[in-house]
Amino acid sequence: MSFNSILIAGLTSIAFTVSAHAAQPPHAMPGELEVDPYEVSNANAGAEPITDPAVLAAFNGEAGIARIVDGLIAGIQADERIEGVFRASDWPRLRRTLIEQFCYILGGPCDYTGRSMASVHVDHGVTTAEFNALVENLQDAMDAEGVPFAMQNRFLARLAPMHGDVVTR
Amino acid sequence: MTLIHTMIAGLGLASAASLAATAQAQDFETGGKLLLTRGISTIEGSGGGGLSSWALITGNETERGIGGTAHATQVELEDFRFQSAGFAIGIHDRFELSWTRQRFDTQDAGAALGLGQGFTFEQDVIGAKIRLFGDAVYDQDSWVPQVALGVQHKSNNQGAIVRAVGAADDSGYDVYLAATKLLLEHSLLLNATLRWTEANQTGLLGYGGLNDHSLQGEFSAGYMLSRRFIIGAEYRFKPDNLGFAGEDDWVDLFAAYAVNQHLTVTAAWVDLGSIATFDDQRGFYLSLQAGF
């Protein structure tokens, strides 16, 4: 066996591993309902990441973000103003992509693999009142995590312009 | 019919048409705004800060609904007492119509001025405002503020007195262009307003005199301490049209607290300068605003 063939075998096995991984693309992850394939890009997160590490620290890093998303989801499910909007949601997928999106925008070591805000919300008929109700639930979840108000606003400032893509009615 | 009546009537008609379209769609939504983002009620009844009219539209409604507010304000000054009370409606977060009655009680100063103890000026202010473009809250990726054009028609009930002190008229109008921007990243709310006015002490001492209309600036800044609580300051430039008494710019330091989505309480320290020859009119401002 020449060095070349070993190298080729090695590369092949690496490629195989990578493609095995790619057999679970972000549009069809295990435990989630499959959605139509889409181009994966951090641009889909809808905002540029915050570069100041103090903000991520104020959110208690990735662990804090996960708790905030769990709190947000619990808030949504208990909020009669918006519970109906989310009733058909694939909660495992929503949780995973929200954590990715928040982590990416807060400058964490994450990539966002979900769809763009416009494509996710195009058929949902979300109103400004419902958008604001979600903001309030997110504020409650950030309060519960102990994120200072000024730091919350630095994050919300990145989310606010999504109003244009999310609100369609 | 003056230009100003035409403008108010036009905005009223546009509001009515907008309402009728909503009614036809059987879609009378109320509520939906975030806390404090409807602003409070100015002493002239418009959505804004306390002394300065802002570009925010009153009421809790979003672009799909209607909302309204009622307010009562009292300002205890060194020598005078000012009160205002009124109501306003907001339509589709686009149009605002307001009516307010102001009372200016001269108390002991009335006797010194020869008007009589407790002599009181009253004034009605009818306002209309239209949001032209921009969104103060959501457009955080742009420097463009929310911009609104407003008019206020004011009529004073003491025509003979205000003419006697040098005013040209007992009624008048203001036109203002307001720009409001929430700099959410900094938890800051900024407002700048340009007012075209000939009102003496906002009209409580009549309109015009030595001068006609002039452009006056109004500037406000607030820092949000929480979703419910904002503190800040305002500065309102004023004209100086009366010969018998100088008129100063107005300043306030305010704290506004949203008890819930319906009730906002605002307290302020105000310095209204010299009024009707009585200098250093500083005091305490308290305003309650209820809304839906």
Side-chain angles (χ1 to χ4, degrees), chain B:
Chain B
M1 195 141 119
T2 65
L3 173 67
I4 209 66
H5 292 116
T6 311
M7 285 177 74
I8 290 177
L11 282 174
L13 277 176
S15 307
S18 187
L19 265 182
T22 308
Q24 210 153 31
Q26 296 184 325
D27 211 3
F28 263 100
E29 280 190 17
T30 58
K33 273 201 188 99
L34 292 165
L35 278 180
L36 286 175
T37 60
R38 70 170 186 239
I40 64 167
S41 300
T42 72
I43 55 165
E44 287 154 326
S46 305
L51 299 180
S52 172
S53 300
W54 294 357
L56 301 176
I57 301 295
T58 204
N60 284 347
E61 86 288 355
T62 67
E63 70 277 13
R64 294 167 54 83
I66 60 165
T69 49
H71 88 276
T73 298
Q74 182 148 330
V75 187
E76 288 291 337
L77 299 168
E78 193 66 33
D79 296 296
F80 304 103
R81 171 180 291 161
F82 172 89
Q83 295 168 308
S84 73
F87 55 85
I89 60 168
I91 301 157
H92 294 179
D93 199 23
R94 173 68 60 186
F95 303 103
E96 177 186 289
L97 298 171
S98 59
W99 175 85
T100 290
R101 173 155 292 176
Q102 301 177 329
R103 294 183 82 253
F104 186 68
D105 184 343
T106 60
Q107 306 187 106
D108 293 345
L113 288 165
L115 296 169
Q117 171 78 24
F119 183 88
T120 299
F121 295 87
E122 287 192 3
Q123 175 168 259
D124 287 342
V125 184
I126 296 168
K129 187 199 293 184
I130 178 172
R131 178 158 67 94
L132 298 177
F133 59 84
D135 190 297
V137 178
Y138 301 116
D139 294 348
Q140 294 298 318
D141 52 350
S142 146
W143 58 267
V144 177
Q146 177 164 326
V147 174
L149 178 68
V151 294
Q152 290 168 342
H153 182 270
K154 308 170 176 183
S155 51
N156 190 307
N157 75 337
Q158 299 292 351
I161 303 294
V162 300
R163 284 194 188 84
V165 300
D169 210 338
D170 58 6
S171 71
Y173 66 89
D174 292 356
V175 179
Y176 62 89
L177 191 67
T180 306
K181 186 74 181 177
L182 180 62
L183 298 176
L184 192 52
E185 194 176 355
H186 304 287
S187 303
L188 270 180
L189 183 80
L190 299 178
N191 184 81
T193 299
L194 267 181
R195 183 184 298 268
W196 178 243
T197 181
E198 60 174 349
N200 308 321
Q201 303 293 5
T202 75
L204 291 163
L205 296 181
Y207 299 85
L210 300 177
N211 310 294
D212 200 343
H213 275 86
S214 60
L215 265 185
Q216 305 290 334
E218 300 171 4
F219 303 92
S220 310
Y223 182 76
M224 295 170 63
L225 292 167
S226 80
R227 277 183 261 178
R228 303 177 177 283
F229 193 36
I230 182 168
I231 56 171
E234 296 183 291
Y235 194 97
R236 176 168 172 170
F237 286 92
K238 308 240 313 314
D240 190 9
N241 301 330
L242 291 181
F244 95 102
E247 178 167 347
D248 292 329
D249 299 340
W250 283 0
V251 186
D252 73 71
L253 301 174
F254 70 84
Y257 185 80
V259 177
N260 54 40
Q261 70 216 47
H262 300 301
L263 182 66
T264 306
V265 181
T266 307
W269 174 86
V270 299
D271 183 350
L272 306 188
S274 183
I275 298 177
T277 73
F278 285 77
D279 292 341
D280 302 324
Q281 294 305 309
R282 303 188 183 100
F284 188 71
Y285 158 113
L286 184 67
S287 183
L288 299 179
Q289 187 206 52
F292 69 93

Side-chain angles (χ1 to χ4, degrees), chain A residues 10-159:
Chain A
L11 284 176
T12 309
S13 76
I14 289 170
F16 204 76
T17 311
V18 168
S19 72
H21 211 72
Q24 298 167 358
H27 72 274
M29 296 288 277
E32 297 179 5
L33 301 173
E34 188 172 335
V35 299
D36 290 337
Y38 54 89
E39 191 179 339
V40 176
S41 164
N42 277 329
N44 289 344
E48 291 296 312
I50 294 167
T51 53
D52 181 355
V55 182
L56 184 63
F59 279 72
N60 299 321
E62 291 176 83
I65 290 168
R67 286 190 292 268
I68 288 168
V69 169
D70 286 337
L72 171 60
I73 286 174
I76 290 168
Q77 291 174 335
D79 188 339
E80 62 184 16
R81 296 173 299 175
I82 50 174
E83 173 269 330
V85 177
F86 286 88
R87 197 171 293 159
S89 296
D90 175 2
W91 295 104
R93 179 177 173 83
L94 181 66
R95 178 178 188 275
R96 177 178 64 81
T97 50
L98 276 177
I99 290 173
E100 286 178 3
Q101 185 185 29
F102 287 11
C103 178
Y104 172 74
I105 293 172
L106 287 163
C110 310
D111 288 310
Y112 177 64
T113 66
R115 292 171 287 177
S116 72
M117 291 300 97
S119 65
V120 171
H121 295 92
V122 65
D123 295 323
H124 288 197
V126 175
T127 65
T128 293
E130 290 160 350
F131 183 90
N132 289 346
L134 184 100
V135 171
E136 289 171 5
N137 279 287
L138 176 55
Q139 289 175 317
D140 289 343
M142 292 189 293
D143 284 346
E145 185 61 26
V147 181
F149 182 67
M151 288 296 189
Q152 294 184 18
N153 287 342
R154 291 182 69 175
F155 181 44
L156 292 176
R158 302 286 170 131
L159 305 185

